[in-house]
Amino acid sequence: MLSPLKLLGSISVIFFYLYDTPPALADNLLLKNGDRLSGSIISFSDGLCIFDTHYGSAVRVPTTDILAIGSNTPYTLLFASGEKATGQLKATTDNRTLLESATFGTTPVDVSQIVSLARFRPSGPLMQENTKAGASDHRYGEDQPAQPPLDFLTGSTVLLPPGEHELDLGLAYKQSRIQYGLPQAGHFQRSSYSARQLELRPTLRTGLQRHLEAYLSLPLTYSHVQDISGNEFVRKADAWRLADIALGVQYQIVEEDADTPAIALSLDINIPTGQKRYNDVFNSWKDPLNNGSGHWSLTPGIAFVRSTDPAILFGGVGYQYSFARTLDGYHIKPGWVLKGYAGVGFALNERLSLGGRLSYAYSANLRADHQTIHGSDADPLELSFSAAYRLSEDWVVSPEISLGLNDEAGPAALSTHFKRRFN
């Protein structure tokens, strides 16, 4: 898995060499082949340690190759069991690792069970005294456990460790309008048709265990449609409704290393709680009030993530199967959908990241009353751009714009996500 700590490590190496005075050598690694490394742990997460020796580029060490760790810097440790501890790691003469913690005392730890290390930043009176003393060698972000917000990777890999949760408050808006003049009815009169939709999509994601996370999304929409044939004839309709509930799981089967990308499998389920009407010709102007598919569906998928400094490449494919259902007196069987996407993202620093994605899907013809409706297939093409900014240690804001590149992709959409992580 491509971890935020790994990317922060790559960026931090560049900043370390921009300063005249390098940080003190505080960390030591003993490898299983007998090698010893002295320097600084930049990141330690999900099977990969990025270690700065100050003699060149950072060294990438698989955590499975590490026998023991020693440091005079306090770290917060996350174990594979989901437990956390804070303290200093000490390497013994018999190549064991001890954790010296105010809570647990001196305890031996198994390095192979450590999922991640984050440099501990103290708070309270002690931190205030150090600030007043004025440590001139303190650099912005050096001791912060903050990680780059990699929101553009959501859905492409597992981002949450065990026991951590994320609440995503998404807000999206899209609209379309067709308008032309009516000279025969008066110079100022217009004929127009407009549709608008505002969607609030709260989503809860949770890390179930290492390499496994799940999500549940409960969207609510406000839809408004207005059909104007002139001042003498105006009709409109609007509605607040619950849209389709979505839930799913994602499991990372391959961790990224020097030769292979991170690979994750996913399964998404759509529950038809939204409205879906097949209106007759006289009421077809109300079609934009639909905010659901009307059908249960399953979508298995596979996605990859690959880091190629300074960029992160990601993409995936999925196959959606929808179940038949009787709606408005018709027996409807939607066509299968094959969809894929590819994108690139950049973590500019520990607070800001940018991403772009190109998405394509092909939807086969639907069947109505057991008859194939030719020409009902579609292949929307969409391009989206997003940014993510860390407001604080727990909150991230992520605006996004999606542009339909053909008629079947629909109008442009603006969205903003406010995300908060908690244990």
Side-chain angles (χ1 to χ4, degrees):
M1 182 183 78
L2 179 63
S3 163
L5 281 175
K6 288 169 56 182
L7 185 60
L8 178 58
S10 300
I11 297 172
S12 299
V13 174
I14 298 174
F15 282 100
F16 278 136
Y17 289 100
L18 293 179
Y19 289 91
D20 293 331
T21 304
L25 300 179
D27 303 324
N28 298 279
L29 299 184
L30 173 61
L31 306 186
K32 293 180 179 178
N33 64 3
D35 291 344
R36 293 181 181 271
L37 301 177
S38 296
S40 298
I41 296 175
I42 298 176
S43 72
F44 187 110
S45 179
D46 297 313
L48 187 66
C49 174
I50 299 178
F51 195 81
D52 180 21
T53 61
H54 309 303
Y55 294 112
S57 60
V59 178
R60 298 162 65 94
V61 182
T63 57
T64 53
D65 293 345
I66 301 175
L67 181 61
I69 302 175
S71 176
N72 55 18
T73 302
Y75 283 95
T76 297
L77 290 72
L78 174 64
F79 295 94
S81 62
E83 296 178 314
K84 287 186 176 181
T86 298
Q88 287 183 309
L89 294 172
K90 301 296 182 182
T92 65
T93 55
D94 56 352
N95 300 329
R96 294 184 302 143
T97 301
L98 301 179
L99 173 65
E100 295 183 355
S101 168
T103 303
F104 302 103
T106 301
T107 307
V109 296
D110 186 353
V111 175
S112 65
Q113 295 300 307
I114 300 176
V115 176
S116 67
L117 293 176
R119 189 170 296 180
F120 177 68
R121 184 174 186 176
S123 60
L126 179 60
M127 183 63 182
Q128 294 173 4
E129 290 176 6
N130 292 338
T131 302
K132 292 178 180 178
S136 60
D137 60 344
H138 176 72
R139 299 192 181 98
Y140 175 75
E142 179 179 292
D143 292 332
Q144 294 183 11
Q147 305 167 358
L150 303 180
D151 291 50
F152 55 83
L153 292 180
T154 300
S156 296
T157 190
V158 176
L159 295 175
L160 297 177
E164 188 160 311
H165 315 286
E166 179 181 79
L167 179 61
D168 180 353
L169 301 176
L171 186 65
Y173 173 76
K174 59 182 178 181
Q175 68 88 25
S176 64
R177 178 191 293 269
I178 301 174
Q179 185 180 58
Y180 53 89
L182 293 174
Q184 71 278 9
H187 179 71
F188 296 102
Q189 291 208 36
R190 294 289 186 271
S191 174
S192 70
Y193 178 84
S194 63
R196 297 179 175 88
Q197 187 178 84
L198 180 66
E199 179 186 75
L200 175 63
R201 180 179 287 270
T203 301
L204 179 64
R205 299 183 182 90
T206 182
L208 299 178
Q209 61 184 48
R210 190 180 182 191
H211 298 329
L212 179 65
E213 69 179 30
Y215 78 92
L216 173 65
S217 182
L218 302 171
L220 179 68
T221 65
Y222 171 74
S223 303
H224 175 83
V225 58
Q226 185 179 57
D227 186 26
I228 302 173
S229 297
N231 285 359
E232 302 301 321
F233 186 76
V234 177
R235 54 184 179 180
K236 59 184 178 180
D238 55 11
W240 281 97
R241 289 191 177 95
L242 177 68
D244 287 357
I245 295 175
L247 56 92
V249 294
Q250 188 164 47
Y251 180 70
Q252 184 175 328
I253 59 173
V254 177
E255 292 186 1
E256 183 182 14
D257 58 27
D259 301 315
T260 60
I263 301 176
L265 300 178
S266 63
L267 178 63
D268 300 315
I269 302 174
N270 184 80
I271 303 175
T273 49
Q275 174 181 281
K276 178 63 177 179
R277 299 295 307 272
Y278 291 94
N279 292 304
D280 57 42
V281 66
F282 298 105
N283 292 294
S284 60
W285 66 280
K286 295 181 180 179
D287 286 349
L289 296 181
N290 288 331
N291 67 343
S293 66
H295 301 267
W296 286 80
S297 66
L298 297 175
T299 307
I302 184 171
F304 76 90
V305 174
R306 183 63 167 170
S307 59
T308 57
D309 293 338
I312 303 175
L313 306 178
F314 60 96
V317 294
Y319 177 84
Q320 179 177 314
Y321 178 84
S322 299
F323 295 89
R325 185 183 176 193
T326 298
L327 292 171
D328 295 330
Y330 303 100
H331 183 269
I332 303 296
K333 173 66 172 67
W336 52 266
V337 180
L338 181 63
K339 48 189 174 182
Y341 66 92
V344 60
F346 299 89
L348 303 183
N349 51 51
E350 74 274 9
R351 287 186 176 272
L352 179 65
S353 66
L354 302 174
R357 170 192 302 229
L358 181 67
S359 304
Y360 173 79
Y362 176 76
S363 175
N365 290 316
L366 66 81
R367 292 177 60 85
D369 291 337
H370 307 287
Q371 179 181 2
T372 299
I373 308 301
H374 296 286
S376 59
D377 59 333
D379 54 349
L381 182 65
E382 185 179 83
L383 180 64
S384 62
F385 300 96
S386 65
Y389 181 75
R390 186 178 299 282
L391 298 173
S392 65
E393 183 177 345
D394 297 323
W395 283 96
V396 172
V397 59
S398 178
E400 181 177 0
I401 181 170
S402 298
L403 306 172
L405 300 184
N406 58 11
D407 292 338
E408 293 163 339
L414 297 172
S415 63
T416 301
H417 297 263
F418 296 91
K419 299 182 179 182
R420 186 188 191 282
R421 287 197 178 185
F422 53 93
N423 295 321

